[in-house]
Amino acid sequence: MGVTTVTDVRLTDDADGVLNTLFRSEQGGHEQVVLCQDRETGLKAVIAIHSTALGPALGGTRFHAYASDEEAVMDALNLSRGMSYKNALAGLDHGGGKAVIIGDPDQIKTEALLLAYGRFVASLGGRYVTACDVGTYVSDMDVVARECRWTTGRSPENGGAGDSSVLTAFGVFQGMRASAQTAWGAPTLRGRRVGIAGVGKVGHILVEHLLEDGAEVLITDVRAASVDRVRAKHPQVTAVADTDALIRSDLDVYAPCALGGALNDDTVPALTAKVVCGAANNQLAHPGVEKDLADRGVLYAPDYVVNSGGVIQVADELHGFDFDRAKAKATKIFDTTLAIFERAVRDGVPPAVAADRLAEQRMAEGRRK
């Protein structure tokens, strides 16, 4: 097993290839980036530790067929930075980290590959705690945990909390309630039209919360089976052809619940919704999108704030999981989201900027301890 470790990821002029990608990162210096390869199993992975100011880095493992290794590295950098901010505003004693495994999970995921990945995570000695993300599941974490004790999101049978999507969806719903309170004066989605892009692990649970609250729900997903599953259980839900059609539908709330970059120069001008609140990570495609949303009168609930229910759940697992305790903490996402909207108005900045300021304040305080 070989490990390549890159530390202090900041701007430089004399690197090339993957290192240049790392050093060009506009997000500031990551503490550590580990490039992992196990030729026997076909494992290629990137583990990015953005910050341990508040405690061991915590974040999931994404398994995805990236177009290039450089794209995978950048995704790990972006996602790990987001986890630092997410964990800070969730009130967790954890920094931010994320891992990506490169490849199509339907084609290359094997028990041997996951065990090899677990050995790499274990080699970090607890600086990074892993969990599920896109392309990985509870059963996968059970395998990883056989080689690495710093693994969360395991099955209850193996001492874990189970699927973290449950509280992720619950937290997004709390953020959506806070958004409704701010936009329309009442913390409910009753009578509102909500469009969900992506009804996989998190999105299909969010559908349940919205229907129970009395919302009208529209959905789309690149996987027809995911749409069919929701429609079979809830025939009152409307399916649309694709994300472009969903965005252009007459909506009150748009909920991106798939991959990142959902809010960009093409989608923002087409939005009909007054509120954007969803589970996807890194929804803003580039700096400045948050201002574009504000200029159009769209209230944006920062993704890393409202989707933190899952990390709250897996963090609780490290202390002997108690669902009621974790859910009570995830309920506070409502209050945190409201506080961010209030600070945004007070400071005269978009909510995304207000959220960043609050998170950076907590991380700075953690470093001084």
Side-chain angles (χ1 to χ4, degrees), residues 27 80 86 94 101 112 131 139 193 199 245 272 275 285 291 315:
Q27 301 92 333
S80 61
K86 180 186 298 189
H94 284 283
I101 298 176
S139 58
R193 298 188 90 214
V199 284
T272 63
V275 168
K291 185 177 184 301

Side-chain angles (χ1 to χ4, degrees), residues 98-218:
K98 204 80 173 189
V100 300
I101 298 176
I102 303 169
D104 184 344
D106 292 335
Q107 298 293 324
I108 71 168
K109 186 193 293 183
T110 62
E111 182 180 271
L113 182 147
L114 292 172
L115 290 172
Y117 170 68
R119 291 191 289 273
F120 279 111
V121 177
S123 73
L124 297 174
R127 280 177 53 77
Y128 168 61
V129 181
T130 196
C132 300
D133 195 73
V134 175
T136 58
Y137 301 87
V138 170
S139 58
D140 298 327
M141 292 303 107
D142 283 345
V143 175
V144 172
R146 284 157 51 188
E147 291 284 358
C148 177
R149 64 189 181 91
W150 294 287
T151 304
T152 59
R154 295 164 293 150
S155 67
E157 295 79 13
N158 286 280
D163 185 4
S164 63
S165 301
V166 174
L167 286 190
T168 302
F170 178 75
V172 172
F173 179 61
Q174 297 309 311
M176 206 176 284
R177 290 179 60 244
S179 301
Q181 170 74 51
T182 302
W184 300 298
T188 178
L189 283 304
R190 180 168 297 280
R192 302 294 173 184
R193 298 188 90 214
V194 181
I196 303 177
V199 284
K201 289 196 291 186
V202 175
H204 86 276
I205 303 173
L206 181 59
V207 169
E208 304 271 354
H209 290 299
L210 289 167
L211 292 177
E212 289 174 5
D213 197 36
E216 180 184 352
V217 179
L218 290 74

